[in-house]
Every structure is written in C-alpha cells, then in structure tokens.
Amino acid sequence: MTETKGARTSARLVEAMLELIQARGYSGTGLNTVVEQAGAPKGSLYFHFPEGKEALGERAVELAAGRFRDLLAESAAAPEGPASGAEGAGAVVCRVIDVLARMVEDSDYQLGCPVSVVTLEMGAQSERLRDACANAFDSWITPVADHLAAHGRPLPEARTLATAVVSTVEGAMIVSRAQRSTEPLRCAAHAVTVLLDGHDAATAKAAS
C-alpha cells in the first residue's frame, strides 16, 4: 500500500511539473509551486527526486514524449479514408497536427510542446536535460520513419523525412503560439501532405 501511495505521489509531481513547464517554462517553474500544484506533502519531492529539479524535469520530458508517442500510435490506428483510395503516408501526421492545433487553441495559446521549451531554455546548461530532450525527439522521429518505411520509402530516406516532419511540426507550434493562430500548424499540415503524399502520387503516376 505504501509503495502504491508513493508511486501516486511521484506521478502527481511529474504531472504537475509537466503542466507547469508548458504554462510557465522550465526556468519559471519553482519546486514549491510543483509541490503545491501536485497536492503533495512537503518534503515528498526530495524523497522521490533526491537529485532535485533536473531529475523531475527529466521525468516530465519522458512523460511528454510517451504521450506524444501514444498520440502517434492512436493516429496510425485510426480508420483509413474512403475506399476509393489508400490513405497517404502524410495522413497520420496530419491527424496528429489536428490534435495539437486543438490543444494549442483550447489553451488560449498558452500551452506548447514542453520538450521544445526545455530544449530552448536548458539545452546549453544541462547535459542531462538536453539528452532527455534529444531522446524524446528521437522517440518521435523513429515511429514516423517506420510509418514512412511501411509506405515504401527506403529507411534512410524515411529517417530524413521523419526528422523534417517532426522539426516542421515543432516549429509550427512555436509560431502558432507567437501569432495566436493555428494557421502555422495548418500550413505545416499542408506542407507535410505535399512532402509525403505528393511524392507518393508522383511515383504512382510514373509507375502506371
């Protein structure tokens, strides 16, 4: 029972850290505020995270990475389009972008990608956090590359395209928040469709 209660407290602290990073940034998030938002007992943070803020930030980045991977998996498992044609390789990414656009808009453009936030703030100051962010991005690039490879792209090309896609989406989220508009994300969805499905259509036409 104690272990279960401790696990719940640890999870609440990580969740609170993630939410605060999204809203205030990593540097703007104080540990006292994390404990307060988590509704955790005083002293629990250093009990569960004796290495302090960096360790908690690392776990928050890992949580964000896992949730985005889940979103990719759910989007990939969604029913395909009309029976008149197979779904293009970019459709999965476009569904993900739609979800992200709604999230940003519903938060009144206050929430963005916590991984990019931590990268920009701490990438040059903390090797631990930089590595956590690099691993998070890689964990998104890899399934996108696998998806593209399943659509017939050679693996090296799939990896290159997946890196470009993730980078495009990350940048679009930042611009959307700055402009308080989902238009940059919609433009990113269009660019991804042209980049991935336009190539597929041209290839299919040339083969026919």
Side-chain angles (χ1 to χ4, degrees):
M1 181 66 69
T2 302
E3 289 183 358
T4 301
K5 182 178 179 181
R8 289 199 299 267
T9 300
S10 176
R12 291 204 310 274
L13 289 167
V14 175
E15 181 70 42
M17 183 68 172
L18 177 57
E19 291 174 358
L20 288 166
I21 287 173
Q22 285 185 290
R24 303 183 182 187
Y26 179 86
S27 299
T29 296
L31 294 182
N32 288 336
T33 306
V34 174
V35 172
E36 180 180 351
Q37 176 147 327
K42 288 184 178 181
S44 61
L45 191 146
Y46 284 103
F47 175 80
H48 293 288
F49 300 96
E51 294 176 288
K53 186 176 179 180
E54 281 195 0
L56 184 58
E58 181 181 42
R59 283 284 303 279
V61 167
E62 291 170 355
L63 177 61
R67 288 182 173 173
F68 192 78
R69 287 195 303 273
D70 290 343
L71 175 58
L72 284 170
E74 291 168 6
S75 297
E80 294 192 352
S84 57
E87 188 175 53
V92 169
V93 179
C94 287
R95 283 198 291 268
V96 171
I97 292 174
D98 284 341
V99 173
L100 297 177
R102 289 196 299 271
M103 179 198 77
V104 172
E105 188 172 35
D106 290 347
S107 73
D108 194 28
Y109 301 94
Q110 298 303 305
L111 300 183
C113 174
V115 180
S116 64
V117 169
V118 174
T119 300
L120 292 171
E121 290 188 22
M122 301 301 298
Q125 301 179 44
S126 168
E127 190 71 14
R128 180 173 189 169
L129 291 174
R130 188 201 65 77
D131 285 344
C133 292
N135 290 336
F137 287 128
D138 187 69
S139 76
W140 302 341
I141 291 169
T142 297
V144 174
D146 291 342
H147 174 70
L148 296 176
H151 278 72
R153 300 298 180 99
L155 194 53
E157 178 187 351
R159 179 79 185 184
T160 297
L161 288 173
T163 301
V165 167
V166 171
S167 300
T168 298
V169 174
E170 284 293 310
M173 288 190 70
I174 293 172
V175 178
S176 284
R177 292 182 69 191
Q179 295 184 349
R180 295 184 61 80
S181 168
T182 59
E183 185 61 21
L185 280 163
R186 304 300 177 192
C187 291
H190 174 73
V192 166
T193 301
V194 172
L195 177 66
L196 303 181
D197 297 344
H199 180 281
D200 291 343
T203 300
K205 183 176 180 181
S208 62

